Amino acid sequence: MRVNQNGVSLKRGRLGAKPCRHSVLHTHSPFATAFAVASRTIPLFYEAEVRNDILEGVPLAGYGPRGSDESVNNIAALLKAYDQIKGVLLENHGVLAFSNNAGGAAQATIIIEETAQLGLYAEVLGGPTLLTPERAGAAIQRRDAVEGRGTQKA
């Protein structure tokens, strides 16, 4: 197994203090990376973001060469500014997703990519309709109510 020392350094130095960031997944998934190379954030507009606690959208970390202090500092600044963040777009590069475990980081990656794809499709139709705080709150309440019932038989 090859370990990217820049990634290990990033995790130990910047991510390790928060349990919700113990696992980090880095991808170049095409739709989310399209937002990154266009220097655009992914806003909160898709209910699946809310259901998966991606409540602040996906912000953009300014460009820095891969693994450089500049890149790490740009990412760290976002992590400090967004307390519950689940992902970061890396300008002109790709995506980082975070969770307390590998499965959660993979799930965040999937939701970020799906959201980016829908956002790009919605642009053709005039752009996505952002979720208001009220709508996001209603989606959270519904999610919690459904999860609270457990598995139901039809």
Side-chain angles (χ1 to χ4, degrees):
M1 179 170 133
R2 197 179 89 190
V3 176
N4 179 326
Q5 292 303 314
N6 291 323
V8 171
S9 172
L10 172 64
K11 183 175 180 185
R12 285 184 186 151
R14 312 294 181 160
L15 304 178
K18 293 198 176 257
C20 63
R21 297 182 184 145
H22 282 196
S23 289
V24 181
L25 184 59
H26 172 63
T27 68
H28 302 124
S29 53
F31 291 101
T33 300
F35 275 82
V37 300
S39 300
R40 290 183 54 185
T41 64
I42 299 174
L44 182 62
F45 61 84
Y46 181 37
E47 188 174 315
E49 289 176 279
V50 175
R51 285 194 320 264
N52 287 277
D53 292 320
I54 301 173
L55 303 174
E56 299 173 293
V58 185
L60 177 75
Y63 178 76
R66 180 183 70 165
S68 67
D69 286 342
E70 180 181 10
S71 176
V72 171
N73 290 337
N74 291 341
I75 295 163
L78 285 178
L79 297 177
K80 186 175 181 183
Y82 295 88
D83 190 47
Q84 297 298 316
I85 197 167
K86 292 273 189 129
V88 172
L89 300 175
L90 306 173
E91 189 172 36
N92 297 104
H93 185 87
V95 184
L96 291 178
F98 314 103
S99 187
N100 61 342
N101 59 56
Q107 179 69 16
T109 298
I110 290 165
I111 297 301
I112 291 167
E113 179 66 1
E114 187 175 280
T115 302
Q117 183 177 11
L118 292 171
L120 289 172
Y121 290 161
E123 287 294 328
V124 174
L125 303 170
T129 301
L130 301 182
L131 283 174
T132 63
E134 295 78 20
R135 286 183 175 182
I140 290 168
Q141 287 178 349
R142 181 67 184 146
R143 175 202 66 195
D144 293 348
V146 169
E147 287 177 0
R149 290 196 312 239
T151 303
Q152 303 289 313
K153 292 185 179 185

